[in-house]
Amino acid sequence: MPEFTKPIPAITPEMREFFDGARAGRLMVQKCDDCGRLRFPAHELCSHCNSTASRWVPVSGRGEIFSFNIMHQVYHPGFAGQVPYAVVVVELEEGCKFVSNLLGVKPHDIKCGMPVEVTFEKLSDEVSMPKFRLRAAK
Amino acid sequence: MSLRAKCAIAGLGQTRMGKNFDHPGPIGFAAEAVNLALDDAGLKRADLDGLLVNPGITWLNNPMASSSLQHAMGLGDLRLTATMNLGGATGAAMIMHAAQAIDAGMAEVVACVFADAPLRPPSPNKGDGGGSAAFYGFAQGLDAHYGLFGVNAQYAFVAQRHMHCYGTTNDHLGAVAVSERKWANLNPAAQFYDTPMSIADYHASRWVVEPFHLYDCCLVSNGGLAVIVTSAERAKNLKRPPVYILGMGQGHPGRDPLETLLSGAPIAKDTAFKMAGIKVADVNFCELYDCYTFTVLVTLEDYGFCKKGEGGPFVAGGAIGPGGSLPVNTGGGQLSSFYMWGMTPVGEAIVQMRGDGGRRQVAKHDVGLVSGNGGILATHSTLVLGSQP
Ligand SMILES: [Zn+2]
């Protein structure tokens, strides 16, 4: 019997620092060297000032649920036993958005505005993935 | 400087739609649609000197689809061709480019066509594909790990945010689905012609991705739809009454729709309505791009048929269904009739404008609004069509 698992993202050169950070328990995003705006996922240039100079910086990992959906259809066998499951968009305190999963909350209990914080799920020696869990609101 | 009423749509060709396996692939559907449109206009293949093609998902990997179709159909000596892709905004955008080229003297008779064949014939092997997920469920990188697959899921984020910000509900989305189904029940060419739907049926339909039920999503279809664009002068002497292109515009906001909850309609409308010399109140009926029920709400708001955020209550009162104050998607739209990307609304607008709508014909049909929308509210196109120049 084949054992299906969720897809594990490949570590691409442009996302290397993101994966290095995640492995060490840090959520990393790109920061424009010229205007200072944050962006995620990796882009070649800053959509605000078009600068191509950037570095990866750690962010707090705190934010709020900006939106979410609940997937009922299986597109990959790794999710067959899991539907319905939720995918969330987190708006980080620092102002950029991050697609992820929210752990420990039933899909139908998720609401926009819920305060969340990052946690990491280890998939292999190389790859850990940022996920989110509820945090107490300030 | 204006292109108002300089050009007209002179022919409409529409193959059978949906679970239609008349051709093994999209080129056959495209050719059939173009030939039907030529017949409708009373023209021959040799009259064509322009061919614009929007390939559907099954031939997107053909970067020169218009050349492939030209060769397949044996169309010689074209003066204009292009393969275009603005997603669901392409249908109306092709017609704009055709009109511009005709006005500039670069072509006289241009066929604009969309075709696709993502559905496969039923297989004796149970569970053997046939669905659209294989084509529309793409994802890579991080998204695939988190389980974010396909366009449905991306639109669901935007709809959920709209619900959070404005109090939009599934009853509101359902009102769009039910209104369009009522129109489909008057359209023998619609896939759901024989199947009425109540709001209870809507709520009972399975979830695809919340907040979208099955009946919030368009009907992925096999088929082809083509129109013939020519000068208003030439159109007057052809078989069918000209459908005049009064105004046209595009709008591509380039911003995160999750953030703005806006489509490109306000930008496209500004250009198109100015050219046509009309106001919102002059529109008799709308054929709006409806990849999802939600898209109709946003589009109605963004053209100003109601205030921003009030699309839900607007449709819940029955305004857009048969007998309502603003007929919308009068053939059943892409939710209950068939999905030919941006060509579905174009085709139905021509039917209405010519008075060919039969039981679904709207009483007043002098000015019709057509919208196209592609990506996640990323591209938008507007046509204002008129029965008189
Ligand atoms: Zn910058």
Side-chain angles (χ1 to χ4, degrees), chain A residues 6-10 15 18-19 40-41 65-76 79 84-89 91 97-101 108 111-113 121 123 129-131, chain B residues 132-134 136-138 140-165 206-212 214 256 258-260:
Chain A
K6 293 180 197 171
I8 296 180
M15 289 285 280
F18 167 80
F19 286 104
F40 189 86
I65 300 295
F66 191 82
S67 195
F68 63 96
N69 65 35
I70 303 175
M71 305 285 295
H72 286 256
Q73 203 159 322
V74 177
Y75 292 92
H76 181 282
F79 294 88
Y85 63 91
V87 186
V88 299
V89 179
E91 184 175 38
K97 294 195 183 61
F98 197 98
V99 169
S100 187
N101 300 127
H108 291 100
K111 293 193 169 40
C112 292
E121 196 172 281
L123 305 181
M129 289 294 281
K131 304 276 169 98
Chain B
S132 59
Y136 283 93
F138 43 80
Q140 53 189 349
L142 308 192
D143 284 355
H145 174 75
Y146 292 125
L148 182 68
F149 295 97
V151 180
N152 296 346
Q154 301 271 2
Y155 265 96
F157 281 152
V158 186
Q160 186 68 53
R161 186 69 192 169
H162 198 275
M163 289 172 150
H164 173 72
C165 291
R206 70 175 169 88
W207 291 112
V208 173
V209 45
E210 290 177 62
F212 293 153
L214 180 64
D256 183 358
L258 254 180
E259 202 69 66
T260 62

Side-chain angles (χ1 to χ4, degrees), chain B residues 274-286:
Chain B
K274 247 181 224 160
M275 188 185 298
I278 65 154
K279 302 180 298 297
V280 173
D282 297 324
V283 172
N284 301 143
F285 68 93
C286 296

Side-chain angles (χ1 to χ4, degrees), chain B residues 16-64:
Chain B
R16 296 197 305 135
M17 295 290 177
K19 295 181 181 69
N20 163 15
F21 309 107
D22 292 348
H23 303 284
I27 286 186
F29 286 108
E32 184 190 343
V34 171
N35 282 319
L36 287 169
L38 286 168
D39 287 349
D40 183 57
L43 291 166
K44 303 274 178 236
R45 276 188 301 157
D47 293 316
L48 278 183
D49 61 359
L51 178 67
L52 301 176
V53 176
N54 178 202
I57 197 129
T58 47
W59 52 328
L60 277 182
N61 61 357
N62 182 339
M64 292 180 65

Side-chain angles (χ1 to χ4, degrees), chain A residues 15-92:
Chain A
M15 289 285 280
R16 154 80 49 196
E17 292 187 65
F18 167 80
F19 286 104
D20 287 349
R23 207 165 46 241
R26 281 194 303 272
L27 182 60
M28 307 289 283
V29 301
Q30 265 181 315
K31 181 176 186 173
C32 175
D33 275 350
D34 284 292
C35 75
R37 280 175 174 77
L38 300 179
R39 60 185 194 254
F40 189 86
H43 289 297
E44 199 177 328
L45 50 95
C46 169
S47 65
H48 179 74
C49 71
N50 281 200
S51 168
T52 53
S54 70
R55 69 192 63 190
W56 286 86
V57 297
V59 287
S60 68
R62 286 188 301 273
E64 285 185 356
I65 300 295
F66 191 82
S67 195
F68 63 96
N69 65 35
I70 303 175
M71 305 285 295
H72 286 256
Q73 203 159 322
V74 177
Y75 292 92
H76 181 282
F79 294 88
Q82 216 195 325
V83 287
Y85 63 91
V87 186
V88 299
V89 179
V90 173
E91 184 175 38
L92 297 168

